[in-house]
Amino acid sequence: MLWARKDPDEPLEEHLRQVAGFAKGFLDPVDETLGRLAWMAGLCHDLGKATPYFQEYLEGKRPKGDPLTRHSLPGALFAAWWALGKGMSSEEALLLFLAILEHHGSLRTPWERLPPDLLQKRWPPGTAWEVLEAQLKTLNRPWKALAECLPLPDPGPFLEGGYEGTIKELHQEADALLDRDRKDLGRHYRLTLIYSALLDADRRVAARRPPPPEPKPVPEGATVAYVQAEKHHPSPLKPLRERLFQGVMEALDRPLDRLFPAHLTLTAPTGTGKTLAALRFALALRERIFRERGFRPKVVYALPYIAIADQVEEDVHRILRKAGLEPKDHLLVHHHLALASTPGGGQSGQDPGEGLPVEEALLLRETWDRDLIVTTFQQVVHLLLGQSPGALRSLHSLARGTLLILDEVQTIPAEHWPLVQALLANLPGNVTVISMTATQPAILPSAEEVAPSLQAPPRVRVRLAWAASRTLAELAKEVAQKAMGEGKSVLVVLNTIQEAVELYRQLKGYRLPCLFHLSSHLIPLHRKAVISRVKEQLAAKKPVVLVATQVVEAGVDLDFEEGYRAFAPLDNLVQTAGRVNRNARLEEARLWVVALESGSERRVYKEVLLHRTREILGPHLERGISDKELYSLLDAYYTAVKEAISAARAQEALKRLSSLDYDALSGFSLLDEKPTLPIFVEWDEGASKLLGELKGALGEKDPWERRQSLRLLYPRLEAYTVSPLLRRALKNPPPPLLGREEWRHVPREALGSFYDDEVGFKWEMESFL
């Protein structure tokens, strides 16, 4: 008997058969040719485990890390040989080879994995190639036995020298990638889909868990029932919101092939209820697809940052509960903590010899196995770029059928627009992309609009003009006068956390009765509490002053009487303006644009965006400009930005991706985010209890139970986790969490040294004394 693994015992033959079946089932709905390749990958991926060396390892007779126990390479070569023998192309053989070779690691650059030395049978030392021939000499008998019970070809010709010709053909194909069409992403998507299907099938079979059954479907009218049950304050914008909410349904009368798969846009001013309108449209389209094509695509709602996902998550929770459904059965919020980088597996192409428990390498990676997913642009782009096994495991699921809503797409840096446009334009399978924003950049140039034509708001809501203040001290005095002297609610948005904290401290000196601070340095538990208290005070007509960073610009439904915004790119100013007189209850409100002497905007935004904003908007701010006029400038702004930016980085990324050069894309970040350090803040008794549960979950011996326990802990842990910039965190670093350097812990007894519930993580102690 040949074993795939022990404890629990799993016969190798059964493992190969089941993985092949699952992998084929994953990809057949996308493309039957890819489904067949995935089936072949599943049958071959663990053939190297048939060596006596690996079997001895399972019996405890060989040590962990013994080179002879590496098992991916023999199966990868055999699959490529089989494909060539069946008359498949050299490209298909290479894709099979790479998907299997890397199924215990990450996708790597093919010509690095197939160096020229192999053609002279010079096996690179320290790699799986070094022990290949020793392994092949032991495989004739076990592989013939497997071929008798599995639909595999006779391995004799391969083992008797056929593998040498396969190596040569693979090397030539890998080398030729450098000269292929630099704009073709089809090859990349074919490889990543095979890899995705193999990876997910392998993990599910190893964990003895098939894909979960589909729960009761979310009714297409669930959003309507929720909206009708909610009590909304009267607003002049109510007719616009109702028109948008009802009008998106008119698009459903179009032929289905214009809606799925398709590229769509949903463009409407801030404050008109785009989130609920998009969810209504997506759920209704989902049911139409089911009626006409027999399956329900999942809905993926992507935002710029997970920090602003709270409101969308709460809306979906309420929609599901109103429909009588349990949110945990339908909704997955893709939280991303440092613990997700828990080490597991070996170096790419160098198997760990199953030294770690099954699924350890992907223990905390979520698979998108729910109807509704809330995630970030960064996670979506990681998925499409093929940057990590954890992300890629969801790709086949996305390709089988997805309605992908991209909310606030204007936050994607302009220099990455060509890359994102190419990734979305070449998406495989059955995916509809819905780009949703009030300020639509041309990322989907040929998309159809699904929002109805909305009349302009009944009056000018906001007028923007330059502020007189140039320093934080001057700004504090001006804001205090608005709140105390005039009794107005005031929103202040600054570009850096440091400036927001400093202004908040200065305003405290004025003894304002309703002063709040909001930034990403507050744990989500406190951010939600701040937003809730601000809403309550605004509803009570109190003179609320909120000092915030950009976290308030997207996904936060607040309505202030006056606003101040540190100078920033045009689309950021539009977003802040959407939080001032949002419901048009005032005849006209003001958003003052503050040109601070510190010039902090240059540390946050690219100069090209700032320059174009000054050029296009600056003259208008001298006399004041209405929000209506502001929207009319957006096309000119985006055109000017597109002409001025350097798309070199995006074009280089596309070039690398089309030639499968994954090593060159390592570390790519869509939003150019700097390194951060997640910190778990043990704020209260609930956090202490969670810490105990986390310790218990990590100690679970059964990998599936461990994964499930950790998955349920995800959103609860996130509520107490803050992720400051690494360079700031290291100025005042808390101790490791449960011995893990990559995730830190503020104990309850040390809260005063590291955290303040008003301004969040303390990175410069002197500023808090």
Side-chain angles (χ1 to χ4, degrees), residues 414 417-418 421 442 445 608 612 636-647:
W417 291 352
Q421 183 177 338
V608 62
R612 290 294 183 257
Y637 169 72
Y638 284 129
T639 299
V641 167
K642 190 172 182 179
E643 291 173 352
I645 62 167
S646 170

Side-chain angles (χ1 to χ4, degrees), residues 94-219:
L94 180 63
L95 300 185
L96 267 178
F97 172 80
L98 293 172
I100 296 172
L101 184 69
E102 314 294 10
H103 80 275
H104 281 295
S106 302
L107 290 173
R108 301 286 302 279
T109 298
W111 52 89
E112 296 291 340
R113 313 300 285 143
L114 290 155
D117 284 356
L118 297 178
L119 303 181
Q120 283 75 46
K121 297 186 68 173
R122 292 199 298 267
W123 311 118
T127 70
W129 292 102
E130 189 176 28
V131 296
L132 175 66
E133 290 192 320
Q135 292 174 319
L136 295 182
K137 289 176 182 177
T138 70
L139 285 171
N140 186 57
R141 186 172 177 182
W143 277 11
K144 283 186 179 295
L146 287 171
E148 290 175 2
C149 50
L150 294 172
L152 295 167
D154 178 8
F158 172 82
L159 295 171
E160 291 165 9
Y163 66 91
E164 296 177 8
T166 302
I167 291 172
K168 181 177 180 181
E169 189 114 10
L170 290 173
H171 176 272
Q172 290 174 342
E173 181 65 21
D175 196 48
L177 286 175
L178 293 170
D179 301 319
R180 298 281 172 82
D181 182 1
R182 298 291 166 79
K183 297 180 181 179
D184 176 26
L185 294 186
R187 188 182 307 108
H188 155 71
Y189 276 132
R190 288 190 291 276
L191 170 58
T192 49
L193 279 170
I194 297 167
Y195 177 81
S196 171
L198 174 62
L199 200 67
D200 198 18
D202 190 29
R203 299 305 186 267
R204 289 186 188 275
V205 171
R208 299 178 182 269
R209 293 295 189 276
E214 290 190 9
K216 180 182 176 181
V218 181

Side-chain angles (χ1 to χ4, degrees), residues 115-339:
D117 284 356
L118 297 178
L119 303 181
Q120 283 75 46
K121 297 186 68 173
R122 292 199 298 267
W123 311 118
T127 70
W129 292 102
E130 189 176 28
V131 296
L132 175 66
E133 290 192 320
Q135 292 174 319
L136 295 182
K137 289 176 182 177
T138 70
L139 285 171
N140 186 57
R141 186 172 177 182
W143 277 11
K144 283 186 179 295
L146 287 171
E148 290 175 2
C149 50
L150 294 172
L152 295 167
D154 178 8
F158 172 82
L159 295 171
E160 291 165 9
Y163 66 91
E164 296 177 8
T166 302
I167 291 172
K168 181 177 180 181
E169 189 114 10
L170 290 173
H171 176 272
Q172 290 174 342
E173 181 65 21
D175 196 48
L177 286 175
L178 293 170
D179 301 319
R180 298 281 172 82
D181 182 1
R182 298 291 166 79
K183 297 180 181 179
D184 176 26
L185 294 186
R187 188 182 307 108
H188 155 71
Y189 276 132
R190 288 190 291 276
L191 170 58
T192 49
L193 279 170
I194 297 167
Y195 177 81
S196 171
L198 174 62
L199 200 67
D200 198 18
D202 190 29
R203 299 305 186 267
R204 289 186 188 275
V205 171
R208 299 178 182 269
R209 293 295 189 276
E214 290 190 9
K216 180 182 176 181
V218 181
E220 63 180 293
T223 310
V224 178
Y226 163 66
V227 169
Q228 290 174 345
E230 287 290 294
K231 293 181 179 179
H232 297 284
H233 297 291
S235 166
L237 291 183
K238 184 178 179 182
L240 288 182
R241 291 172 180 164
E242 291 178 344
R243 173 63 182 141
L244 177 63
F245 192 70
Q246 300 296 332
V248 293
M249 300 301 289
E250 297 170 6
L252 286 175
D253 294 333
R254 301 173 191 172
L256 187 57
D257 59 5
R258 287 173 54 190
L259 300 174
F260 185 77
H263 288 170
L264 308 174
T265 53
L266 195 162
T267 311
T270 56
T272 51
K274 291 188 293 295
T275 296
L276 292 175
L279 290 172
R280 182 186 189 186
F281 175 77
L283 291 176
L285 177 56
R286 188 172 185 251
E287 288 305 306
R288 181 181 172 189
I289 292 166
F290 175 72
R291 290 192 296 270
E292 297 186 28
R293 299 191 185 173
F295 69 95
R296 291 183 177 90
K298 63 178 78 270
V299 177
V300 176
Y301 196 111
L303 296 136
Y305 315 101
I306 202 66
I308 64 173
D310 291 344
Q311 187 165 317
V312 174
E313 182 180 359
E314 288 176 9
D315 282 340
V316 175
H317 268 259
R318 294 190 184 113
I319 289 169
L320 293 172
R321 289 200 178 102
K322 182 64 182 175
L325 301 173
E326 181 58 50
K328 68 179 178 63
D329 294 334
H330 296 269
L331 172 66
L332 185 149
V333 180
H334 195 148
H335 294 279
H336 183 71
L337 301 175
L339 193 58

Side-chain angles (χ1 to χ4, degrees), residues 606-642:
K606 296 195 180 303
E607 182 57 40
V608 62
L609 304 180
L610 299 170
H611 176 71
R612 290 294 183 257
T613 301
R614 288 190 198 97
E615 185 178 67
I616 293 172
L617 182 62
H620 296 281
L621 291 176
E622 297 293 342
R623 57 175 177 79
I625 180 173
S626 71
D627 53 340
K628 291 183 178 181
E629 295 173 289
L630 194 65
Y631 279 104
S632 70
L633 298 178
L634 284 170
D635 284 343
Y637 169 72
Y638 284 129
T639 299
V641 167
K642 190 172 182 179

Side-chain angles (χ1 to χ4, degrees), residues 38-83:
W39 175 76
M40 294 171 68
L43 284 175
C44 297
H45 77 288
D46 274 352
L47 282 177
K49 289 185 176 181
T51 65
Y53 311 118
F54 190 86
Q55 296 298 307
E56 288 167 4
Y57 165 75
L58 291 180
E59 295 168 7
K61 298 177 181 178
R62 282 188 177 269
K64 176 184 174 182
D66 185 331
L68 287 167
T69 64
R70 297 170 182 166
H71 67 266
S72 293
L73 181 57
L77 270 179
F78 184 79
W81 172 81
W82 183 14

